[in-house]
Amino acid sequence: MNRWLTRRWPALHWPSVRGRGRADAGPLLLTAAVIAAVALLAGAAPVLLRAAADKAVQDTVRRAGNDSNVLVRANWERDDGPTGGRVRMPGLAEDLDNFRARATSALGPDLDAALLPPLAAVNGPILTITDGSVPRTFQFTYLAGDLGGPDVTWVAGSPPGPAVSDEYVETPYDGPPWPVQVGLSEVDAAALDLGPGDRVPVRDGQGRDKDVRVSGIYRPADSADPAWRLAPALLRPVPGADGVGTTRFAGLLSRESLPDARLAVDEDQLRRAVHFAPVPGTLTWDGTAALASQVVKLKATSGSSGDREQSLKWESQLDIALRDARARNNAASTQAAVLLAGVLTATVLVLLLAADLLVRRRTPVLSAARQRGAALPDLGAELIIESTVVSLSAAAVGLALARAAAPGVSWTWAVPVVLAGALAGPAFGTLAAARASRDRRQPANPAARRWIRATGQLRRAAVEAAVLIAAVAAFVTLHQRGLLPVASDSATGELTGDLILPVSALALGALVGALVLLRLLPLGARFALRQALRSRRPLAVFSAAQAATTAGRALPLLVLVSTTALASFALILGATATRGVTDGAWSTVGADARLDVGADAEAATPALAERIAAAPGVEQVVVAQVTDSARVFTESTLLTPRLVIVDTAAFRRLLATTPLPDAPALARLTAPGPGPGEVPALVRSSDGDLRTGTRLQLPREDAPAIRLAAVGTAPSVGGVNNVVIVDAAALADAGLPAVPNTVWVTGPGAERAVSNTGVASDVVLRADVLRAQRVAPLTAGLVRLAWTAAGVLLALGLLGLALAAAAGASQRWQTLTRLRTLGLRPRDARWVAAGELLPPVVVTAVYGPLLGALLARLTLGPLDLRLLTGQAADPAAVLPWWLLGLVSVALLATAAAVVPVESALRRRDRLSEVLRAGE
């Protein structure tokens, strides 16, 4: 009880605090600089990554185009009349407005805020223009938003009006064509040579003429209005929209002529839909999960496509695009966390080494203060105040710079650095002061000395075992669960508790590798000393003795090996991601250029391929039928892989002449099937549902299903993992001829050859895909972070080398100066110093990059780099040996520069002072 009553607050001696700060301003400023630099990186990197993630979500939605729209359809109310005819419904436009309002109210506030105002579109069937010798088609369309349709100026005639003025009209089903008025754009009217009052000569697919009349000619007020994207033919003719050589024209309906359009075609041929286009600028990473969930709920509550009622039928790919973007964002976040964890680990080690150097300088002062009666709590409090002020001030500067360089700041990753800087110095200083006043002497009993030595060894073994167990657990967890959150839809983007261990696997692996070398290096140093003792070279003996004496220092070697290995890993990660983007572009396109031919133009694909093959600069042209989500059955399961029907020989030549992986199993497709009536196929599946030996059935309309037998593993096609490849000739012999819809083109002239084909097709160029992937926010951000982390880690390693040399410089040059009294020349003294410093550096220069390559081999797979590079499988590790060599050269050059610098600084030391040191 009295002990508690006599406790007091530490008595601080402020002059001593200020004096120590002034005397050791250099090491304190160095510590502050390290903390500020790493705080800048740790504070800015997560925020910049979050901004890149937001841009990635927005970029994904922009690339999806109209596929990311939220689309809702509904049937019209039936127009059956009481006498067996069809009734004209003058309130059809109001009914469409109500449909648009009903769809908007069903969205919910969050989804409504992320979407543009709705646009309702009513499209008639594709009609054939009978006038002229060139194939032309026509379609009438009505567009309406909350404020009406897109603004136009009528340059001739008038807006479309009603065909009749009566409120109630009933026309028989087999009556004459019902007239409907439309407006034409200036470009369409000039191409058709029509004006107000003229009829558009059109007929439907059953050969029935339609009465479509031109009421006026209009000019759009803003051709960039989003409404025109739903029907570009309303602005100008669209070639190839309805087949090879065809041109589509369109006529604009008004609210008054919309009821007539309903009667002008069959009852179910006039279709209505409401389009909600997302606003990419409002989408963020945090909101993607909620938006995707709401879209899924809308589609789940959607009515059946065969439902004749007016229920809402929702369609959208927005949820898929958001989930894909979220998966990539989560992968990039965890990959950045792995790099930051490595940087923080190296920083903490460097701060420990800097604190050790500072305490070595202060040991005489702290010992004197202790001998004068200063209490350990008082000294510890003084040191804590000093280090806390330095660490917090430096961290504040670093975070302020991060805030200036980034749209925000994250302080979470800076906490370990601040704690290390604030606690390392006081802990080491208090221990040094305690040892200076400790009265316990070395026991004379050999058994007691062995007990003390064994206790120290057990403590060290316990620490090493703990690090080893943590590293093994981290790598097992990393390979078992990966780095992606278990439930990505509910992930917040923050590092959760279940990810801390796998994220730390890289740093723990580097520490284990350093501990292994720390065990082996003293053994090698002692072996070198024994060999040197047998030689007749005294310099070798002196160097080996000095190296053996300092080989057991833990902190310097931990810093050197960890920073070198982690810097090598960062370089390998950056090189692998860069190469993966290039390979991903090849995997996505499949050639230098690819044409995805529209469904209406598939019949012209062979002729198109021949024309492209004859173009200059084209080396290879391969056609194939590629069907996404094809219906393929196993014995009990329906699968929807990508079905590729291709000429196997041509496809093999394509793979052999491009960087795409070869597929030797393609040769098996031309051999007979393993069973009677079976067609050989290659399969590839991400979940294992498709594997060699599986029997499949490919259904056909009005014919028995074709039996397929999986005889090997298929290569990835278009970056898709679920693939079934069949030879075109073998499938044709089985009764299903291929209809090519994809053209792969290679050669320097591929881009020019596919630029103007005159066919409704999507052109995908490898150069464009590669350019887009390189500048993609997440990919570019990760690569920049990898290079930055490598530079920071290398700088920390060189700083650690300098600190380690400075920590032992006093004792090293005292020994060398005393040897000079025995006849050692200054030049020889420098060689002895180099012999002490260089061995661990040389070993680290070789061992560090190799350890980094091993860590990359163990961790790159679970990092899921394929999500950022666009590849179907994880990219193979790329070892940039010239960059790794630069890391080793930088270490060796720094170590070689330390000796002459130390020699120049120690040249003024007086021999008498050196000889009296330690008295």
Side-chain angles (χ1 to χ4, degrees):
M1 185 67 179
N2 293 333
R3 183 180 59 184
W4 290 96
L5 293 175
T6 57
R7 283 190 172 181
R8 60 177 178 83
W9 289 99
L12 304 179
H13 190 251
W14 294 106
S16 298
V17 175
R18 290 191 295 269
R20 284 193 295 266
R22 286 193 298 267
D24 299 320
L28 291 177
L29 289 176
L30 180 61
T31 301
V34 172
I35 295 176
V38 177
L40 170 61
L41 177 62
V47 178
L48 293 175
L49 181 65
R50 177 61 62 92
D54 293 341
K55 292 180 181 178
V57 173
Q58 299 164 11
D59 185 62
T60 300
V61 173
R62 288 193 186 96
R63 291 185 183 184
N66 290 335
D67 290 339
S68 64
N69 289 357
V70 178
L71 177 66
V72 57
R73 304 182 187 273
N75 295 323
W76 295 101
E77 180 183 356
R78 296 186 63 86
D79 59 359
D80 298 328
T83 60
R86 298 178 62 190
V87 176
R88 185 179 184 274
M89 306 176 68
L92 212 59
E94 288 76 9
D95 186 20
L96 185 64
D97 293 339
N98 294 333
F99 167 46
R100 187 175 63 249
R102 187 159 57 104
T104 303
S105 63
L107 291 177
D110 294 338
L111 194 56
D112 188 20
L115 302 175
L116 289 172
L119 289 172
V122 179
N123 294 309
I126 303 299
L127 305 175
T128 302
I129 298 177
T130 59
D131 185 16
S133 58
V134 179
R136 295 179 294 180
T137 59
F138 187 85
Q139 183 183 39
F140 44 75
T141 301
Y142 174 72
L143 300 175
D146 291 339
L147 302 178
D151 294 332
V152 296
T153 301
W154 295 95
V155 297
S158 61
V164 295
S165 58
D166 297 336
E167 288 292 330
Y168 180 83
V169 176
E170 183 176 353
T171 178
Y173 277 97
D174 55 354
W178 188 266
V180 56
Q181 295 184 17
V182 298
L184 294 179
S185 67
E186 290 180 298
V187 180
D188 284 0
L192 294 174
D193 194 18
L194 296 175
D198 294 337
R199 291 184 58 178
V200 183
V202 292
R203 64 168 56 120
D204 63 8
Q206 299 178 1
R208 297 175 297 184
D209 292 332
K210 299 298 179 182
D211 189 359
V212 180
R213 303 174 183 179
V214 179
S215 67
I217 310 300
Y218 63 86
R219 179 186 301 153
D222 182 12
S223 59
D225 193 314
W228 299 116
R229 300 174 189 171
L230 302 180
L234 289 173
L235 296 179
R236 63 187 61 85
V238 178
D242 300 307
V244 181
T246 64
T247 303
R248 179 186 292 182
F249 297 81
L252 181 65
L253 297 171
S254 66
R255 295 177 67 90
E256 292 75 15
S257 65
L258 181 60
D260 299 318
R262 179 90 188 272
L263 294 179
V265 297
D266 293 341
E267 183 179 12
D268 57 350
Q269 287 185 326
L270 192 71
R271 301 183 179 276
R272 61 176 179 172
V274 176
H275 299 256
F276 297 90
V279 185
T282 64
L283 300 178
T284 61
W285 182 11
D286 295 331
T288 53
L291 294 180
S293 177
Q294 291 180 11
V295 173
V296 171
K297 290 180 181 178
L298 287 177
K299 294 197 293 185
T301 58
S302 179
S304 171
S305 60
D307 187 3
R308 298 295 301 175
E309 300 298 329
Q310 301 182 52
S311 59
L312 301 181
K313 305 171 183 64
W314 296 91
E315 304 173 11
S316 181
Q317 300 294 321
L318 179 60
D319 55 325
I320 299 176
L322 292 179
R323 279 199 297 268
D324 291 343
R326 192 164 186 81
R328 289 192 292 270
N329 292 342
N330 288 330
S333 176
T334 51
Q335 291 158 8
V338 169
L339 290 174
L340 288 178
V343 172
L344 294 187
T345 301
T347 304
V348 170
L349 291 175
V350 170
L351 290 177
L352 292 176
L353 188 57
D356 178 66
L357 173 61
L358 182 62
V359 170
R360 287 174 183 268
R361 290 167 56 95
R362 288 181 169 179
T363 297
V365 177
L366 295 176
S367 300
R370 180 63 175 156
Q371 291 170 0
R372 288 196 299 265
L376 287 178
D378 298 341
L379 287 176
E382 292 174 0
L383 295 175
I384 286 178
I385 291 174
E386 177 191 72
S387 62
T388 301
V389 170
V390 172
S391 299
L392 291 180
S393 301
V397 171
L399 294 178
L401 294 175
R403 181 63 182 86
V409 66
S410 175
W411 56 268
T412 306
W413 286 96
V415 172
V417 178
V418 175
L419 291 178
L423 299 179
F428 289 169
T430 304
L431 288 176
R435 293 193 188 100
S437 59
R438 187 171 55 185
D439 57 355
R440 189 175 64 181
R441 299 182 178 180
Q442 184 75 8
N445 187 356
R449 290 198 300 268
R450 286 194 300 269
W451 174 264
I452 294 175
R453 187 166 56 252
T455 302
Q457 293 174 351
L458 287 176
R459 289 173 180 172
R460 176 180 175 181
V463 173
E464 294 175 347
V467 175
L468 177 61
I469 292 173
V472 171
F475 277 100
V476 170
T477 306
L478 178 65
H479 283 269
Q480 290 292 328
R481 74 170 304 284
L483 285 175
L484 294 180
V486 177
S488 59
D489 286 343
S490 60
T492 62
E494 300 294 336
L495 192 63
T496 55
D498 60 330
L499 290 176
I500 293 178
L501 188 60
V503 163
S504 306
L506 173 65
L508 291 173
L511 288 178
V512 169
L515 291 175
V516 171
L517 185 60
L518 184 61
R519 284 287 186 177
L520 298 177
L521 189 60
L523 299 178
R526 287 194 291 269
F527 175 78
L529 178 59
R530 286 195 298 268
Q531 297 299 318
L533 289 173
R534 299 176 183 177
S535 68
R536 297 181 180 180
R537 299 178 180 178
L539 292 182
V541 176
F542 295 151
S543 300
Q546 289 286 90
T549 302
T550 59
R553 293 182 58 192
L555 269 180
L557 194 63
L558 288 177
V559 170
L560 286 179
V561 175
S562 299
T563 54
T564 307
L566 293 174
S568 301
F569 173 84
L571 293 174
I572 294 172
L573 177 62
T576 302
T578 303
R579 175 73 64 82
V581 168
T582 303
D583 294 342
W586 277 104
S587 176
T588 301
V589 180
D592 289 314
R594 188 186 75 227
L595 266 72
D596 298 327
V597 183
D600 297 327
E602 291 177 350
T605 303
L608 174 64
E610 293 178 1
R611 190 165 69 249
I612 294 175
V618 174
E619 297 176 354
Q620 288 195 66
V621 176
V622 178
V623 297
Q625 178 181 343
V626 179
T627 306
D628 290 325
S629 301
R631 292 165 55 87
V632 177
F633 292 89
T634 61
E635 295 181 355
S636 59
T637 307
L638 170 63
L639 303 176
T640 56
R642 169 173 288 184
L643 177 63
V644 180
I645 306 173
V646 65
D647 181 358
T648 303
F651 194 49
R652 289 186 65 188
R653 288 194 300 270
L654 176 68
L655 297 181
T657 56
T658 61
L660 293 169
D662 293 334
L666 286 171
R668 305 174 190 172
L669 297 182
T670 56
E678 292 182 338
V679 178
L682 300 183
V683 296
R684 184 185 187 91
S685 176
S686 58
D687 53 10
D689 290 338
L690 292 173
R691 53 186 177 272
T692 303
T694 304
R695 294 302 190 268
L696 306 173
Q697 290 188 356
L698 182 63
R700 293 182 294 172
E701 294 183 4
D702 303 327
I706 296 178
R707 292 183 297 170
L708 306 178
V711 296
T713 302
S716 173
V717 178
V720 176
N721 266 327
N722 298 325
V723 179
V724 175
I725 299 180
V726 185
D727 182 66
L731 199 62
D733 293 340
L736 184 61
V739 182
N741 59 0
T742 300
V743 182
W744 288 299
V745 186
T746 63
E751 180 176 352
R752 182 180 301 176
V754 301
S755 58
N756 294 312
T757 60
V759 176
S761 60
D762 294 330
V763 178
V764 184
L765 300 178
R766 183 182 59 84
D768 293 343
V769 173
L770 178 59
R771 190 179 306 110
Q773 285 281 32
R774 283 176 175 172
V775 301
L778 289 178
T779 305
L782 177 66
V783 172
R784 283 196 296 267
L785 180 60
W787 300 135
T788 303
V792 172
L793 288 166
L794 179 58
L796 290 174
L798 299 180
L799 177 60
L801 175 58
L803 291 175
S810 177
Q811 181 179 359
R812 177 167 54 254
W813 287 95
Q814 283 183 13
T815 303
L816 293 177
T817 305
R818 290 169 180 172
L819 288 176
R820 287 180 57 191
T821 63
L822 301 178
L824 191 68
R825 295 176 299 177
R827 180 181 178 183
D828 297 336
R830 289 194 293 269
W831 278 110
V832 173
E836 175 185 349
L837 291 175
L838 284 179
V841 178
V842 172
V843 173
T844 301
V846 177
Y847 180 76
L850 295 178
L851 178 59
L854 176 61
L855 293 175
R857 175 67 178 83
L858 295 175
T859 57
L860 281 184
L863 286 182
D864 294 315
L865 282 178
R866 68 182 185 281
L867 296 177
L868 300 186
T869 60
Q871 297 173 272
D874 292 318
V878 177
L879 302 180
W881 290 113
W882 69 276
L883 290 176
L884 301 181
L886 286 180
V887 173
S888 301
V889 169
L891 283 176
L892 295 175
T894 304
V898 165
V899 175
V901 171
E902 284 187 352
S903 177
L905 293 176
R906 297 288 176 176
R907 186 175 301 170
R908 297 181 181 180
D909 291 349
R910 295 183 179 180
L911 186 59
S912 58
E913 295 178 356
V914 174
L915 292 177
R916 285 197 300 268
E919 292 181 357

